[in-house]
Amino acid sequence: MAYIKIFDTTLRDGEQSPGFSMNIHEKTEFARQLERLGVDVIEAGFPVASPEDFASVKEIASAVREARVAGLARCAEKDIRRAWEALQDAAHPVIHVFIATSDIHMEYKLNMTREQVLQKIRDSVTLAKSLGAEVEFSAEDASRSDREFLLQAFDAAVECGASTINIPDTVGYALPQEMKELAALVRGHFPDPSITISVHCHDDLGLSVANSVASVLGGATQVECTVNGIGERAGNAALEEVVMALVTRGQDTGADCGIHTRQIYRTSRLLSTITGVPVPPNKAVVGVNAFAHESGIHQHGVMKNRLTYEIMSPESVGIYQNKMILGKHSGRHAFEERLDELGYKVSAKDLDAAFEKFKVLADRKKVITDRDIEALVDSGSYQLEETYQLDSFVVNSGTVISATAVVKLKSPDGEKEHVARGTGPIDAAFKAIDRIVKKGYPLENYTIQSVTEGEDALGEVVVRLNKDGESITGRGLSTDIIEASIRAYLNAVNKAIMMD
Ligand code: KIV
Ligand code: ZN
């Protein structure tokens, strides 16, 4: 079996796409989950791009111990030195340098000749290597590059110390057969197994996963991908799809990887919770319908033998079907055991907080499922010291009255209450909060999704506010969607106030 490294770029290529921005705490939390998932490389960001990117890469570099941590850099001295500075505390630092090698990019974007590009590669890889990092070199737009020149570019990188060479299909243009041939060409040129041949496929034609798998069949030994397939434009190859294709068809692909597949669902959900972007129901591997058998014929077949219609089990990706888990009479010990079975290692303090929330939820909801528990624990990761806390609220709404809300908050100066009207109950409640805190941040986005099915399902609300051009995300969880909305709004407002 060939070992295929999984290089996750959710925090770089994924995070840079609109609507997916995360703050430093969220990125670090997500990086920790990627480590639990077992990825080989975490691309943490593009340090030269902004002070926030730099700080996130630095924080992740010191938080992550097992996986390699990569920082992106153009072939420019300033970028490379900044990446290295951010990676100082990493156990296994990787500087990922890139420059375009296609004629169209070199002529119109870089305004450089082939010889100038080769010289940039030599200078940049030599510098990155001299600093002490492992070096990956990417030939941007490789799939549209002249093959002979592409190999010259890779030769230059390897001669100067790059141990990974990456073939990006930057614009998502390639077909699977082409990517397979390209990977085979590069592998044939570098038969030394210590040189990792990587691919990085975008999804503009919906072929990124097929292209990644085809590249592995051609000889690639690393796949770059993102959780839920997020990324520039149509996104990158989805990690969960690539991994499950390799694992499920291992006998035919001859490939294996180090991913703990049972962590896949949790990782996907965490990303969706952090960014507030729901996973489409029909999404392969992690969508809620991915393992739902609606038609009678299918259900009948699955009941007789799951293999009739299931090529992989939901449990294998961490989706557990058992619904009867815990209820209001369950004790702390049972709760702790369940967390352990779900793979959570929480501190005593976090356990106390999660158990408190569990008890409140158990008063409202008869049966608490694994997904509820995951949502409760994950919600702890975005709690912060709150300036304002929700005390109580009352809303009035209907077709013949205008919506009003009365909200009471606890603050360092005591309890404060305000009433406001709005276009609906949620708008009214948000306005009442604005009056209490004497600030107003434009609402950029509001999403609500249910964590589980059923009448008493937990609703999870994510709001994005704009503070001086920066997006701030807030989240709230409750069986009552107005309460979840108020909590999410307050969560974001508290974050904004902390930034003042
Ligand atoms: O798509 C691309 O070419 C990239 C490179 C920086 C690897 O993201
Ligand atoms: Zn990319």
Side-chain angles (χ1 to χ4, degrees):
M1 284 275 191
Y3 184 83
I4 308 300
K5 287 186 196 150
I6 300 297
F7 176 118
D8 179 274
T9 182
T10 309
L11 294 170
R12 198 276 298 169
D13 217 333
E15 202 264 348
Q16 74 192 33
S17 55
F20 289 95
S21 59
M22 304 179 214
N23 66 32
I24 184 164
H25 307 293
E26 293 164 338
K27 285 185 188 175
T28 310
E29 176 67 23
F30 191 70
R32 288 209 174 92
Q33 177 57 27
L34 286 175
E35 206 176 23
R36 282 194 281 273
L37 179 65
V39 305
D40 299 271
V41 189
I42 297 172
E43 186 161 53
F46 190 4
V48 83
S50 69
E52 292 75 32
D53 244 43
F54 176 86
S56 307
V57 177
K58 194 164 166 46
E59 179 86 17
I60 292 169
S62 56
V64 167
R65 294 292 89 191
E66 297 295 323
R68 293 172 168 85
V69 177
L72 186 67
R74 286 166 300 192
C75 278
E77 182 174 345
K78 187 169 141 231
D79 286 36
I80 295 166
R81 291 201 185 279
R82 194 81 175 131
W84 182 236
E85 209 185 323
L87 291 168
Q88 277 310 290
D89 300 328
H92 312 285
V94 179
I95 301 183
H96 177 191
V97 291
F98 76 100
I99 193 165
T101 52
S102 64
D103 289 333
I104 185 167
H105 276 228
M106 287 189 291
E107 183 178 345
Y108 294 101
K109 186 180 82 171
L110 299 175
N111 211 0
M112 285 167 79
T113 64
R114 288 185 173 195
E115 193 38 58
Q116 285 171 323
V117 167
L118 290 179
Q119 196 51 47
K120 274 270 179 207
I121 296 171
R122 289 187 204 104
D123 294 346
S124 305
V125 176
T126 305
L127 171 63
K129 186 74 190 165
S130 74
L131 297 171
E134 200 178 305
V135 182
E136 165 166 335
F137 168 72
S138 280
E140 192 187 4
D141 206 16
S143 54
R144 294 194 300 167
S145 300
D146 173 66
R147 300 301 188 245
E148 205 175 310
F149 179 64
L150 183 64
L151 292 178
Q152 283 176 22
F154 285 150
D155 275 336
V158 170
E159 278 158 24
C160 295
S163 51
T164 299
I165 45 181
N166 183 32
I167 313 169
D169 180 27
T170 303
V171 291
Y173 179 71
L175 297 176
Q177 185 61 21
E178 285 164 357
M179 282 307 286
K180 182 178 174 189
E181 283 165 11
L182 188 47
L185 176 76
V186 178
R187 181 79 279 174
H189 193 73
F190 296 100
D192 176 356
S194 69
I195 302 295
T196 300
I197 310 293
S198 174
V199 289
H200 174 115
C201 300
H202 279 270
D203 208 35
D204 300 68
L205 293 173
L207 290 172
S208 59
V209 173
N211 283 342
S212 305
V213 174
S215 307
V216 168
L217 296 176
T221 47
Q222 174 171 289
V223 175
E224 302 196 353
C225 42
T226 59
V227 174
N228 297 342
I230 71 169
E232 279 283 310
R233 308 180 308 280
N236 290 61
L239 179 148
E240 59 281 3
E241 295 179 25
V242 171
V243 166
M244 290 317 287
L246 294 182
V247 170
T248 308
R249 300 299 303 272
Q251 300 229 312
D252 305 286
T253 58
D256 197 9
C257 64
I259 296 296
H260 307 301
T261 61
R262 286 176 186 265
Q263 291 288 334
I264 283 180
Y265 181 69
R266 175 143 45 116
T267 313
S268 161
R269 260 210 58 83
L270 181 62
L271 182 65
S272 169
T273 303
I274 289 176
T275 58
V277 182
V279 175
N282 62 327
K283 165 85 179 60
V285 182
V286 289
V288 286
N289 291 351
F291 295 95
H293 301 283
E294 204 62 46
S295 107
I297 296 174
H298 289 206
Q299 284 172 353
H300 182 72
V302 169
M303 267 152 59
K304 295 247 158 165
N305 181 343
R306 288 178 89 159
L307 297 181
T308 48
Y309 284 100
E310 263 181 26
I311 57 165
M312 56 191 158
S313 71
E315 291 80 11
S316 69
V317 297
I319 300 176
Y320 300 100
Q321 306 290 23
N322 47 340
K323 300 269 184 199
M324 259 307 296
I325 318 277
L326 299 169
K328 80 192 267 185
H329 300 297
S330 307
R332 190 187 152 94
H333 187 65
F335 180 71
E336 191 176 355
E337 256 181 17
R338 194 69 205 124
L339 282 188
D340 199 51
E341 279 160 26
L342 287 171
Y344 285 99
K345 301 272 171 274
V346 291
S347 65
K349 187 165 158 260
D350 290 346
L351 179 66
D352 286 344
F355 188 62
E356 272 312 305
K357 287 188 201 161
F358 164 75
K359 282 289 177 193
V360 172
L361 182 61
D363 266 338
R364 295 182 175 186
K365 203 169 183 293
K366 281 193 231 78
V367 173
I368 298 184
T369 68
D370 285 345
R371 290 197 205 167
D372 292 320
I373 294 176
E374 283 171 344
L376 282 184
V377 181
D378 292 343
S379 74
S381 66
Y382 51 78
Q383 290 308 328
L384 68 167
E385 288 301 313
E386 292 171 323
T387 312
Y388 292 96
Q389 283 175 305
L390 178 64
D391 181 275
S392 59
F393 72 91
V394 177
V395 292
N396 258 309
S397 174
T399 47
V400 289
I401 53 164
S402 45
T404 53
V406 185
V407 178
K408 194 196 271 185
L409 302 182
K410 289 182 200 142
S411 80
D413 311 327
E415 285 174 358
K416 296 189 174 174
E417 188 177 89
H418 250 289
V419 59
R421 270 191 203 176
T423 50
I426 293 172
D427 182 48
F430 289 0
K431 287 199 169 110
I433 293 174
D434 287 349
R435 287 190 183 162
I436 295 174
V437 303
K438 298 196 178 68
K439 290 189 198 289
Y441 305 99
L443 182 66
E444 281 182 351
N445 196 23
Y446 170 97
T447 56
I448 179 159
Q449 42 179 329
S450 98
V451 174
T452 45
E453 309 84 33
E455 287 162 7
D456 57 359
L458 265 182
E460 184 176 50
V461 171
V462 179
V463 299
R464 224 175 30 243
L465 304 183
N466 189 297
K467 180 177 193 287
D468 308 328
E470 206 184 311
S471 292
I472 300 168
T473 310
R475 295 178 199 81
L477 201 62
S478 173
T479 47
D480 175 329
I481 58 167
I482 297 188
E483 182 182 335
S485 305
I486 292 174
R487 290 193 181 281
Y489 191 74
L490 210 49
N491 184 234
V493 167
N494 275 315
K495 282 185 189 171
I497 289 171
M498 263 175 72
M499 286 163 65
D500 279 339

